[in-house]
Amino acid sequence: MLDYQDGQLEFADLHEAGRKLVQRMRTWKPDVVLTFGLDGGLNLHPDHATVSAVTSIAFRWSARAKRYPELGLEPWTPRRLFHLTSDFTLADREAVLPTPWTVKLDIRTVKKRKKEAFLAHTSQAVLFDKVKPYWERYGDFEYYTLMAMTEPEAMLMSESLFD
């Protein structure tokens, strides 16, 4: 969607990638923004770590009138930024050092659809047999860490991204 090649995002220009995401945030006006954790996720993928960094920056820059005025779009401030984290690690990988979560999201009602989306992702579908045991054991919940919000407040445990 943003014209980056799989496996090459870590080499992208931060300013340009940030501009593309700011444009989308100002156009779509999300209340909540989700991204990977800075660790790159369970597989420590450098593209995922880059997505996290760029998305986290764009979350903040989207609200700043001085950032990308040439887009001709009014600044937009999403209410919350979450990073995906996990309650397990992969045995055959380096330690992830996951971030403690603030949201435990029950996804059982959409688990089948999430699997279909995973299998539709050409470069990921071939990996499903390898991740299937983890999917079956841990796939009922997703874990997120609240990283930023519009108003300061103490972090609380939640079961919703919109509380």
Side-chain angles (χ1 to χ4, degrees):
M1 186 164 108
L2 297 178
D3 297 323
Y4 292 104
Q5 184 178 2
D6 192 24
Q8 298 299 308
L9 190 56
E10 66 181 303
F11 305 109
D13 178 273
L14 178 66
H15 176 74
E16 179 60 21
R19 185 188 66 73
K20 289 178 178 182
L21 284 181
V22 165
Q23 179 180 21
R24 280 153 180 84
M25 285 184 197
R26 289 179 180 171
T27 301
W28 297 337
K29 300 182 179 351
D31 286 325
V32 173
V33 175
L34 308 176
T35 188
F36 294 102
L38 283 169
D39 53 18
L42 287 171
N43 60 0
L44 304 169
H45 198 296
D47 278 0
H48 297 175
T50 304
V51 165
S52 177
V54 173
T55 303
S56 297
I57 289 168
F59 172 86
R60 296 168 193 294
W61 287 354
S62 177
R64 308 283 184 262
K66 291 183 179 182
R67 287 287 179 177
Y68 312 109
E70 72 278 6
L71 293 174
L73 298 166
E74 291 293 317
W76 175 254
T77 306
R79 290 182 30 233
R80 294 182 174 178
L81 170 68
F82 289 94
H83 284 187
L84 180 66
T85 188
S86 182
D87 67 335
F88 69 97
T89 58
L90 300 175
D92 61 340
R93 300 282 180 139
E94 284 185 66
V96 174
L97 307 175
T99 307
W101 59 84
T102 55
V103 175
K104 180 179 180 180
L105 192 62
D106 185 337
I107 64 162
R108 289 177 285 196
T109 60
V110 295
K111 187 176 176 182
K112 180 181 175 196
R113 189 164 186 199
K114 184 176 177 180
K115 180 181 176 183
E116 291 167 356
F118 185 97
L119 294 172
H121 191 322
T122 309
S123 67
Q124 301 302 303
V126 296
L127 302 173
F128 190 75
D129 286 342
K130 185 174 183 177
V131 301
K132 188 176 180 182
Y134 295 99
W135 179 267
E136 290 172 354
R137 183 169 179 189
Y138 301 104
D140 291 344
F141 297 93
E142 289 181 351
Y143 297 87
Y144 294 90
T145 304
L146 178 61
M147 299 303 293
M149 52 192 312
T150 54
E151 299 293 327
E153 67 180 64
M155 292 180 82
L156 302 171
M157 288 299 296
S158 177
E159 293 179 354
S160 169
L161 299 170
F162 300 99
D163 283 346

